Structures are given as C-alpha cells and as structure tokens.
C-alpha cells in the first residue's frame, strides 16, 4: 500500500547543510582570490594555511559536508518521489529507485535526476495532469543548469590543477576554481529555494491546505 511520508524534517536538514556548503564555498573562494591577488615573486604566503586556518582541515571539512549534503538530499528526493507515486504514479517516467540510482550513473546523472524532479513537481502540484504553466519549471531548470555547469567546471579545474607546472598555469586553474565556487554558491541558493518550494507543495497537497503558488 502506498503511504504519504512527511518530507518537512528532511527538507530542514537539507537546507541547513546547503547553507553550510555556501559558507565553505565563500571561505575557499576567498583562499583562491588571495592566491590570485598575491604576487608570488615579491610576496610569500604558506599555501597550507589561511590566517589561523589549516587548509587541509578546511578542505577535509568541506568535502565531508558536501558528501553529507548529497546523502541527505538524495534521501529527501527519494521520499518526495515516493509521495509522487501516491498522487500521480502514471506520470512518473522512472521507478522510485531511480531517484537514488540516477545520481550515480556517469553522464546520465547530468539529466536523469532533472527529469525525475520534473515528474515529482507535476505530481505535487494541485492539478497533476494540467499542462505546465509558463515559466513553471524555471526554478528547477535554473538550479539544474547552474548545478551541471558547476560540476563540469569542477572537473575542468581539477584537471588544470593536476597538469599545472608553471605559475601561469596555476593562475588559470585558480581562476577556474574561483568560478566554480561562485557557481556552487548560486546552485546552493537555488537548491534551497527548490527544496523549500517542492516540500511546501507536497505539504499543502497532503494536508489539503491552500496550494502553494504554481
């Protein structure tokens, strides 16, 4: 038997974790900016520290937070997908398991979760079988576009750092990395808005309250 499950608690956890990622993106972006503004021929700084902060610890904490955010987000996402099955299972293009597995398929993870999210969105609105409204999916599409751009940019920045052997190459890699942190911040903000909006839609529908603005 299909049963609705409350996603509110998970949504709060996702939002807090995403906010934490924004804090680390700002910090690590500041580190990249410091490097770009430093004349390495006349100035010296220890690349392993930033003020009183050990960068190895900072990067480790940022990575741990990123993984934790991904895990909690996917659990939240799967719960909303299960709820969508109750309201409009025939509108769901993929089985609930794809709400988890779709994130781990190379290349496919650039579009599969977005398709699942759109199906969840349609099932969660007050009239699941109505046509999409003008700009209805703008928030979803905006978040997804920035997230994909950030993921691709991160791959490029990582490769540039691995191959860098000259100061100029490190500067190029640092510019890419700084851009990725900026995209990460935008993606996290849009993700927070998306999580709040979709959770609100499901809560309104499950409780029979006045539906969230569509």
């Amino acid at each position: 038997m299909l049963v609705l499950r409350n996603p509110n608690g998970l949504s709060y956890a996702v939002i807090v974790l995403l906010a934490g990622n924004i804090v680390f993106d700002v910090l690590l972006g500041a580190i990249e900016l410091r490097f770009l503004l430093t004349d390495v021929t006349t100035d010296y700084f220890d690349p392993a520290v930033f003020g009183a902060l050990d960068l190895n610890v900072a990067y480790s904490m940022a990575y741990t937070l990123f993984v934790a955010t991904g895990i909690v987000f996917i659990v939240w996402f799967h719960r909303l997908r299960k709820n969508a099955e109750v309201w409009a299972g025939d509108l769901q293009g993929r089985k609930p398991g794809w709400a988890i597995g779709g994130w781990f398929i190379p290349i496919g993870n650039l579009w599969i979760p977005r398709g699942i999210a759109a199906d969840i969105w349609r099932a969660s609105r007050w009239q699941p079988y109505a046509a999409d409204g003008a700009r209805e999916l703008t928030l979803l599409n905006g978040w997804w576009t920035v997230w994909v751009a950030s993921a691709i940019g991160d791959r490029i920045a990582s490769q540039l750092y691995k191959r860098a052997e000259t100061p100029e190459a490190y500067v190029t890699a640092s510019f890419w990395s700084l851009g990725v942190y900026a995209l990460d911040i935008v993606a996290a903000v849009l993700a927070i808005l998306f999580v709040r909006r979709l959770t609100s839609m499901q809560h309104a529908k499950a409780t029979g309250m006045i539906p969230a603005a569509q």
Side-chain angles (χ1 to χ4, degrees), residues 10 14 69-80 99-100:
L10 281 171
V14 172
T69 304
I71 292 172
V72 178
F73 182 94
I74 290 174
V75 173
W76 168 85
F77 192 65
H78 182 257
R79 178 165 296 186
L80 267 67
I100 297 175

Side-chain angles (χ1 to χ4, degrees), residues 22-180:
I22 292 173
V23 171
F24 272 101
D25 283 331
V26 170
L27 172 63
L28 299 179
I31 293 169
E32 295 290 350
L33 187 61
R34 180 191 68 162
F35 171 76
L36 290 171
L37 295 178
T38 299
D39 184 351
V40 295
T41 62
T42 60
D43 298 327
Y44 171 79
F45 65 86
D46 185 349
V49 297
F50 183 66
L53 179 66
D54 185 319
L55 294 190
N56 291 324
V57 174
Y59 284 116
S60 178
M61 292 175 62
Y63 179 75
T64 300
L65 182 62
F66 174 78
V67 172
T69 304
I71 292 172
V72 178
F73 182 94
I74 290 174
V75 173
W76 168 85
F77 192 65
H78 182 257
R79 178 165 296 186
L80 267 67
R81 171 61 185 83
K82 295 284 284 186
N83 286 346
E85 192 77 12
V86 177
W87 291 315
D90 56 329
L91 289 182
Q92 308 306 302
R94 298 178 186 273
K95 297 295 184 182
W98 282 93
I100 297 175
W103 295 92
F104 301 98
I105 299 176
I107 307 301
N109 58 12
L110 296 179
W111 71 81
I112 291 175
R114 186 268 167 200
I116 296 171
D119 289 342
I120 295 172
W121 183 284
R122 295 183 180 105
S124 303
R125 65 193 180 192
W126 213 243
Q127 297 179 320
Y129 298 94
D132 294 345
R135 298 185 296 278
E136 180 179 349
L137 299 179
T138 298
L139 177 57
L140 167 59
N141 292 333
W143 161 57
W144 192 254
T145 299
V146 178
W147 185 84
V148 169
S150 173
I152 294 174
D154 184 62
R155 292 290 184 90
I156 295 173
S158 296
Q159 290 302 313
L160 289 173
Y161 267 120
K162 288 180 181 178
R163 298 173 182 175
E165 296 181 352
T166 65
E168 292 78 11
Y170 277 106
V171 168
T172 299
S174 190
F175 267 118
W176 273 90
S177 186
L178 185 60
V180 169

